Amino acid sequence: MPSKLLGQLIKEMPFDEYINKPEFFHASEVKLFGQSINHWETRHQQISTDGLRMGSAAHTTLLEFNKFSSRYLVMPKVDCRTKIGKEQKALAETQATKENKILLDQAEWTQILNWREKITDDVFVSDLFTKNLGENEISGFFSHPVVGVDGCFRCDKLLRDKKLCIDLKFMLSAHPFAFASAVKKYRYDIQASWYLDGLKAITGENYDFLFVVCEKVRPWNVQTYRLDEESLEKGRDDTRHFIKRFKEYRSASETEKKRLTGYYNGIQTLNIKWY
Amino acid sequence: MENELNFEIKGVTAKELFEAWFDVKKKLGSHIVAQGKNPHFGNDYIMLDTLINRIDKACKEYGLGIMQFPTGEGLITILLHRESGHYIQSYYKLILDKQTPQGVGSAITYAKRQILQAMFGLSAGPEEDDDAETTRIENPAPPKTTQPKEVSKTAFSLAKIEMARADTLTDLAEYWGMQSDETKNNKQIRALKDSRKAELNLKA
C-alpha cells in the first residue's frame, strides 16, 4: 500500500522522524550503495565528527535559529588548565547530557556566528537569510519515475515561487576546484539530481539546485554553485546504476550476498600508473 | 586568393527589389556583432547561423528571399523579390583547401557567409561608425553599461558581457530568445545563462 506521504512536501517534520522512514530511500543511501553495500549496512556506526557537529549547528543557526537553544548548549569560556575551569566544563557536559543537547564551546560558537555574518553579507545570497526567503527544512517524499523506488529528500531552503532549492555546505575551501573535487568525492551530483527529480515528481515543475558553499576558515568566502545538465545526468546515471546494484543484492541468495557486499565481486588485476 | 564573381540582374525593372534592399539595409545597419573567433588567425567572424537568422528576419519583412545553391565548383546565390519576381543572381567559385567532403563543406560555409555579408555590406569588426548603427535590431535599447572595446569577442565572452547587462529575468529571457540555435546549444553558454538566471532569481 503506498505511503500517505508520497507526493508531499512537508514543513516542520522533525529530522528524527524524517530520517527514520526505511521505506523511503535517501540520496545519502544511494551514495553509500555506490561505495559498497557494506558502507550502507554499517551506516549507523558512522561516528559524528566535529565537522558534522559544527555543520549541523551552523545549519540550525542560519535556518532554524528559533530551535537553536533547544538543541545546543554553548559553554562559557573556561580555562581547562585550572581546577575551576575543569569543574565548569564538567558541569556544562552534565547539563548538556541531561537536557539531550549538543555542547559547543565559545570558540565554536564565535566561529559559527562568523560564518553567519559572511553568508548574510554575500551579495547574491544575503536576502535568502536576512529576509528569510522561502521555506526552511522542507521534507519531500516521492516515487522515483526512473529507478522505480520511493525516495525522500530534505531541502535546506525551498523557494517555490522561484523554483529554487538551496543547499548549504560548510567546507574548508569554496574555490571552484575544491568544490568540483568535493562534488566527485561526496557525489553532490547524485544529491542534486535526486532532489531535482523528486521535486519534479511532486510538483511537476523543473527546479534549479544551488549549493551555497561557505568556507569554514579564513578568508570565509561564500560562493554559490550549480551543476550543469551533463553533471546532473552523470548523477542520474549513477543513481540508476547504484540502485540496480542494491536491488540485485537484496534479491540475491545468502551465499551470493556475501560476494556482493564489497567493492568488487572477485579478484581484480590492477595496473598502477606511477606517472 | 582569386575569386570569380559573376553578377546578373533579372527583370524588366528592378525598382521594387532595390527599394526592398534599401529597407533591409536600413534595418540591418552596417555592423553585426561577431560571435566567433578564428583560432588560427585570431580574427573575429560572424557565425553563419547568426547571420542567416538576422538577414532572413529582415528580408522576410520586406518581401525578399535568399536562395543559395552549391553547384559542385561554385555557389549560386539569388536575391529574390517575392511580389515582382525580380532577382539578382551571383556566382562564386569555390576555392578548396582540401579535396575532401569536409574541405568542400568548409568552403561552402565560408562562401555563404562572405556572400551574405557582401550582399548587405555588413562588417564583423569592431564598431566604428559614429551613428552607432547596428544590426542588433531585436534589441534596440542602448547598452546599460559601457564595456571596453578591447574585450575579447569570442562567443563566450560576448555572451557573458551581454548577460551581465540583463538586470531582470525578462531581460535575460529576451536576450536568450534572440540567440541562434547554435548559441543556445553551446553547453558553456547555456550554463552561463542558467547561472545568470539563478543569480537574478536570487536577487529578484
Side-chain angles (χ1 to χ4, degrees):
Chain A
M1 190 179 140
S3 165
K4 284 178 187 170
L5 292 170
L6 266 182
Q8 289 200 54
L9 287 170
I10 299 171
K11 281 191 224 176
E12 303 282 334
M13 178 180 265
F15 183 74
D16 285 342
E17 190 185 334
Y18 162 76
I19 205 78
N20 289 311
K21 297 209 175 293
E23 67 273 34
F24 291 97
F25 282 104
H26 301 253
S28 58
E29 285 180 285
V30 179
K31 292 190 253 180
L32 291 174
F33 300 153
Q35 288 179 277
S36 77
I37 297 296
N38 276 336
H39 277 84
W40 178 76
E41 291 279 17
T42 58
R43 65 195 181 283
H44 299 303
Q45 296 169 31
Q46 192 186 10
I47 297 160
S48 178
T49 60
D50 277 350
L52 282 173
R53 190 169 56 92
M54 289 285 283
S56 166
H59 269 78
T60 308
T61 308
L62 276 154
L63 302 167
E64 300 176 294
F65 194 59
N66 56 335
K67 291 177 184 162
F68 188 86
S69 58
S70 63
R71 293 180 191 169
Y72 297 91
L73 185 70
V74 181
M75 186 169 66
K77 191 173 182 180
V78 293
D79 184 354
C80 288
R81 290 171 301 183
T82 64
K83 193 182 167 192
I84 290 182
K86 281 175 190 162
E87 281 173 4
Q88 282 178 321
K89 191 186 175 195
L91 205 65
E93 282 169 349
T94 313
Q95 191 188 343
T97 313
K98 198 173 145 191
E99 294 175 7
N100 198 21
K101 290 179 184 172
I102 296 165
L103 193 64
L104 296 173
D105 64 27
Q106 275 295 319
E108 289 172 329
W109 175 231
T110 310
Q111 205 172 8
I112 290 168
L113 290 180
N114 196 13
W115 298 347
R116 182 170 74 168
E117 194 188 318
K118 293 291 172 187
I119 286 185
T120 51
D121 199 34
D122 181 78
V123 66
F124 291 110
V125 298
S126 62
D127 279 2
L128 281 179
F129 301 96
T130 52
K131 295 179 183 167
N132 197 22
L133 300 179
E135 299 158 287
N136 300 338
E137 304 291 1
I138 298 292
S139 308
F141 297 87
F142 66 104
S143 179
H144 201 293
V146 179
V147 295
V149 295
D150 291 341
C152 62
F153 57 85
R154 194 165 166 102
C155 308
D156 285 346
K157 253 189 188 296
L158 189 70
L159 283 78
R160 298 195 206 200
D161 53 338
K162 297 173 194 288
K163 311 274 174 291
L164 284 179
C165 178
I166 315 278
D167 196 63
L168 266 174
K169 300 279 183 214
F170 294 90
M171 315 194 86
L172 287 175
S173 170
H175 189 278
F177 288 170
F179 188 67
S181 154
V183 170
K184 285 184 189 168
K185 186 175 177 188
Y186 302 114
R187 298 308 306 264
Y188 293 149
D189 54 332
I190 288 183
Q191 182 199 356
S193 58
W194 183 262
Y195 280 43
L196 290 176
D197 291 348
L199 282 163
K200 172 89 177 172
I202 296 170
T203 66
E205 312 249 32
N206 289 317
Y207 275 67
D208 203 0
F209 192 93
L210 301 182
F211 296 96
V212 176
V213 186
C214 175
E215 284 181 348
K216 295 199 280 190
V217 292
R218 190 184 64 81
W220 302 285
N221 282 329
V222 176
Q223 184 66 52
T224 305
Y225 293 102
R226 58 188 299 285
L227 298 180
D228 67 2
E229 264 313 308
E230 194 180 339
S231 311
L232 292 171
E233 211 43 54
K234 166 75 177 147
R236 286 189 184 101
D237 275 353
D238 283 348
T239 298
R240 281 190 282 270
H241 177 63
F242 296 160
I243 287 188
K244 189 178 159 209
R245 182 192 289 184
F246 179 70
K247 282 180 177 173
E248 276 169 16
Y249 166 75
R250 270 216 297 221
S251 60
S253 67
E254 285 307 310
T255 330
E256 210 180 329
K257 268 184 179 168
K258 282 186 182 174
R259 292 168 59 87
L260 298 172
T261 50
Y263 295 110
Y264 184 73
N265 182 12
I267 296 169
Q268 199 171 13
T269 301
L270 297 180
N271 170 253
I272 309 300
K273 291 182 170 44
W274 290 104
Y275 303 104
Chain B
M1 189 181 287
E2 191 186 321
N3 286 336
E4 188 184 310
L5 185 68
N6 295 323
F7 182 81
E8 200 179 346
I9 301 174
K10 301 278 178 176
V12 181
T13 163
K15 188 170 177 271
E16 285 159 309
L17 189 154
F18 284 133
E19 272 175 7
W21 182 91
F22 273 108
D23 288 335
V24 172
K25 173 68 182 161
K26 195 174 170 188
K27 189 104 187 172
L28 291 174
S30 56
H31 176 262
I32 192 160
V33 177
Q35 292 196 314
K37 195 160 192 83
N38 187 322
H40 298 295
F41 302 110
N43 58 319
D44 301 316
Y45 67 88
I46 304 170
M47 286 162 90
L48 183 60
D49 210 17
T50 313
L51 191 68
I52 291 177
N53 251 341
R54 301 262 163 87
I55 292 180
D56 256 3
K57 245 182 218 172
C59 281
K60 208 172 161 186
E61 205 178 323
Y62 295 102
L64 287 180
I66 296 167
M67 293 183 264
Q68 292 189 304
F69 308 100
T71 62
E73 290 185 339
L75 185 75
I76 295 172
T77 302
I78 299 173
L79 177 70
L80 175 76
H81 187 249
R82 187 177 177 169
E83 278 183 21
S84 64
H86 297 159
Y87 63 94
I88 302 174
Q89 181 181 306
S90 79
Y91 177 77
Y92 183 103
K93 189 180 175 188
L94 297 174
I95 311 289
L96 305 185
D97 271 350
K98 289 175 193 167
Q99 295 285 346
T100 59
Q102 287 75 24
V104 175
S106 167
I108 291 175
T109 306
Y110 179 82
K112 280 168 83 177
R113 185 169 48 237
Q114 292 299 321
I115 291 167
L116 289 173
Q117 263 183 266
M119 274 166 70
F120 292 98
L122 299 170
S123 78
E127 198 169 0
E128 283 170 356
D129 46 348
D130 294 336
D131 58 356
E133 266 189 337
T134 171
T135 56
R136 304 307 303 269
I137 49 171
E138 302 89 339
N139 187 11
K144 285 166 189 161
T145 53
T146 52
Q147 296 290 337
K149 279 186 177 177
E150 292 74 31
V151 167
S152 160
K153 285 192 174 63
T154 58
F156 183 80
S157 40
L158 262 171
K160 199 172 179 182
I161 292 166
E162 298 204 20
M163 284 186 213
R165 287 176 185 161
D167 284 338
T168 62
L169 288 167
T170 320
D171 283 353
L172 185 67
E174 200 177 298
Y175 163 78
W176 193 244
M178 279 162 34
Q179 300 312 301
S180 65
D181 289 345
E182 196 173 335
T183 306
K184 284 179 181 170
N185 291 330
N186 180 307
K187 263 194 263 177
Q188 280 181 312
I189 296 179
R190 209 169 55 228
L192 196 65
K193 185 265 295 177
D194 290 338
S195 299
R196 184 65 185 148
K197 186 179 165 191
E199 284 173 15
L200 293 170
N201 231 337
L202 283 177
K203 274 184 176 178

